[in-house]
Amino acid sequence: FKLSPYVGVGYRYKSDDGSDLVSEQNGKLYKRLSQYWYVPLGSRLTYDFTDLWFVKAIAEYDWFVSGRQFSYLTDGTYPSPIVNKQKSGWGAKGELLIGHHFNKVSVAFGPYMNYWKIAKSKDVMRSIIVAGYPRPFTEPFREPRNITKEIGVKLNFYF
């Protein structure tokens, strides 16, 4: 039985390029880049049932420190990129793997989950460009709340 707590510094980079897509609700989409800094707080638990069989569990909470959202608009109405600061959110990761030790390698298989919930960004006021000249723009530009869910099955090899 081994229990290994850990803490660290994490960086998440996410790119969504919708610049060549059109939405029925929002019109032409755009390219977004997300950069998040966070502190992972977690623990790994490994338990050997026998000399050959084991179970491994990982649970992690990701404390969001700060983030920036870069929006690259392609319609020419706003100076690009628009940079929004994001200051709150959190993430979680977990997995439960059952494995087998072979001569020189171990193999583990099981479900995993990654989750992120990021609050809406701070508002950014921008000028709109009309006929090549900036005009006052009173509507704020913000990134909405973002929830990312990733669920799957993992196959790990240990050498």
Side-chain angles (χ1 to χ4, degrees):
F1 176 80
K2 288 186 263 182
L3 180 64
S4 305
Y6 62 89
V7 63
V9 175
Y11 174 76
R12 181 177 185 228
Y13 174 85
K14 184 175 179 257
S15 175
D16 298 309
D17 190 355
S19 59
D20 59 346
L21 301 173
V22 176
S23 165
E24 288 182 20
Q25 295 173 334
N26 300 326
K28 190 164 175 67
L29 300 179
Y30 52 93
K31 181 177 180 180
R32 282 193 221 131
L33 298 176
S34 303
Q35 296 178 341
Y36 304 145
W37 288 96
Y38 64 97
V39 175
L41 304 164
S43 186
R44 290 185 179 101
L45 170 72
T46 304
Y47 179 74
D48 291 324
F49 289 115
T50 67
D51 288 343
L52 297 177
W53 291 96
F54 65 92
V55 64
K56 182 178 280 199
I58 296 175
E60 178 180 301
Y61 173 79
D62 296 321
W63 174 50
F64 186 88
V65 176
S66 70
R68 288 183 189 237
Q69 182 82 32
F70 299 87
S71 301
Y72 295 88
L73 306 176
T74 58
D75 63 1
T77 57
Y78 302 96
S80 191
I82 295 175
V83 181
N84 293 92
K85 293 180 181 177
Q86 293 174 296
K87 294 194 174 191
S88 64
W90 62 277
K93 296 179 179 106
E95 62 185 52
L96 181 62
L97 308 177
I98 295 181
H100 189 272
H101 297 292
F102 294 96
N103 287 337
K104 295 184 179 181
V105 67
S106 297
V107 178
F109 175 81
Y112 77 94
M113 177 273 311
N114 292 335
Y115 180 87
W116 276 101
K117 182 176 182 181
I118 308 298
K120 74 178 177 90
S121 69
K122 290 196 162 263
D123 293 347
V124 174
M125 302 304 279
R126 287 288 186 203
S127 297
I128 191 167
I129 298 173
V130 178
Y133 297 98
R135 298 286 186 251
F137 185 64
T138 57
E139 294 282 327
F141 190 89
R142 77 177 63 97
E143 272 302 312
R145 179 175 68 133
N146 175 322
I147 295 177
T148 303
K149 298 174 192 173
E150 179 183 350
I151 299 171
V153 178
K154 184 180 273 194
L155 177 63
N156 279 5
F157 295 91
Y158 306 97
F159 298 94

